[in-house]
Amino acid sequence: MKFYKYQGTGNDFVMIDNRLGEWDDLSIENIQKLCDRRFGIGADGLIKINSAKGVDFEVDYYNSDGSKSFCGNGARCSVAFAHFLDIIEDKTTFTAIDGIHEAEIKNGIVKLKMGDVSNINTVGNDFVLNTGSPHYVKYVEMLNNYNVYKIGNEIRNSETYKQEGINVNFVEKLSDKELFVRTYERGVEDETYSCGTGVTAAALTFMKNNNQTFVGVKVMGGQLKVYAEKDGEGFKNIWLEGPAVQVFKGDINLDKA
């Protein structure tokens, strides 16, 4: 298998050009092995770029455990990969598990249009919303020293969320225009350096309470930006922006992975 490795603010992915359908039958076990950081390539997820009717391509995303979901940073890296493969130029429309998305790429920066969010639910002082994947948002202080794995794992595996799973985001306000976000991701079952849908979820909860249309977000792997317009109890025209970088490429024997 020929593969490419991409990262978006430290959220890393194995990318496969599957437009000819060569890897349609890739098994969950194959995906788990390819994403394994000791015995495979190592990644938070695997993405197959498939052919699709009516749009430029399909983003077929898998978490490192083989489960499927939508991934904001993975989608941004997919746009960069599609640009590298000459499928697209500077603008694109593609499909993913949560529907159709638009995106733009310029100088390695990818701006991705997320799906509309109709409402943001509250759980005590915390928030729950879906930005393509389900997210729990909790505001804390001294996030640098916070036990993200322990608390994130407890919330994700609580009675309410254990069956379907939920991503857990811990948020610290740095200023009126910037947040710091760390995320425990379901499917990876650990903290990742960045989570695009999680950053979006955190930003929307902040915008809702502060009546803003933009917020910058610091993550463990860099910086992202989120733009949105309020629409009743929810948001529309939501855009996630940040870098997407090809790290390396290679070939791997699936029988030995």
Side-chain angles (χ1 to χ4, degrees):
M1 171 189 281
K2 187 175 185 64
F3 71 89
Y4 296 79
K5 180 74 178 287
Y6 274 74
Q7 62 89 7
T9 53
N11 210 183
D12 58 343
F13 311 97
V14 174
M15 311 289 296
I16 300 167
D17 180 1
N18 190 49
R19 287 175 291 168
L20 299 179
E22 184 179 1
W23 305 106
D24 283 349
D25 296 330
L26 199 65
S27 69
I28 289 176
E29 184 182 17
N30 287 148
I31 292 166
Q32 291 172 342
K33 286 183 176 181
L34 288 166
C35 291
D36 193 291
R37 297 191 184 278
R38 296 289 185 270
F39 301 102
I41 300 163
D44 293 327
L46 179 142
I47 301 169
K48 292 189 286 186
I49 298 298
N50 298 332
S51 296
K53 292 182 179 180
V55 292
D56 294 322
F57 58 94
E58 178 192 19
V59 173
D60 190 12
Y61 176 79
Y62 299 82
N63 293 306
S64 60
D65 68 354
S67 60
K68 298 192 73 166
S69 67
F70 177 70
C71 176
N73 285 328
R76 291 193 311 97
C77 285
S78 298
V79 172
F81 186 41
H83 184 263
F84 168 78
L85 294 173
D86 290 326
I87 299 172
I88 64 167
E89 293 185 5
D90 57 344
K91 293 185 178 181
T92 183
T93 303
F94 66 88
T95 187
I97 195 170
D98 66 332
I100 303 293
H101 290 266
E102 300 171 40
E104 304 171 3
I105 181 169
K106 185 176 182 180
N107 298 325
I109 301 297
V110 177
K111 193 172 182 179
L112 168 72
K113 189 174 185 183
M114 308 288 281
D116 294 346
V117 173
S118 58
N119 64 299
I120 298 174
N121 299 312
T122 55
V123 180
N125 294 322
D126 304 334
F127 303 91
V128 173
L129 64 158
N130 193 304
T131 53
S133 292
H135 284 276
Y136 190 102
V137 178
K138 185 179 187 66
Y139 283 77
V140 302
E141 295 182 353
M142 299 180 66
L143 183 51
N144 262 328
N145 302 317
Y146 200 80
N147 196 333
V148 169
Y149 178 84
K150 180 177 182 294
I151 307 301
N153 182 273
E154 288 174 357
I155 295 172
R156 180 260 184 269
N157 288 296
S158 64
E159 204 61 42
T160 306
Y161 307 113
K162 186 173 184 178
Q163 186 171 353
E164 293 188 7
I166 198 165
N167 302 284
V168 187
N169 306 275
F170 301 95
V171 187
E172 180 179 4
K173 176 184 174 182
L174 299 181
S175 72
D176 289 340
K177 293 184 178 180
E178 187 178 23
L179 303 175
F180 177 27
V181 177
R182 294 176 65 184
T183 303
Y184 178 98
E185 283 201 52
R186 68 169 187 173
V188 179
E189 304 308 333
D190 203 348
E191 181 179 4
T192 56
Y193 272 46
S194 176
C195 174
T197 54
V199 160
T200 303
L204 295 183
T205 64
F206 187 72
M207 290 178 186
K208 182 178 176 68
N209 290 334
N210 294 274
N211 201 29
Q212 292 173 230
T213 58
F214 162 80
V215 64
V217 183
K218 173 188 172 185
V219 292
M220 299 298 282
Q223 295 283 149
L224 291 163
K225 297 176 181 177
V226 179
Y227 307 82
E229 295 177 20
K230 201 164 185 184
D231 183 29
E233 293 300 309
F235 288 87
K236 64 181 182 179
N237 291 328
I238 304 165
W239 292 83
L240 172 68
E241 179 182 316
V245 180
Q246 185 180 129
V247 183
F248 61 87
K249 61 182 177 180
D251 297 277
I252 189 165
N253 187 329
L254 281 180
D255 293 331
K256 295 180 179 179

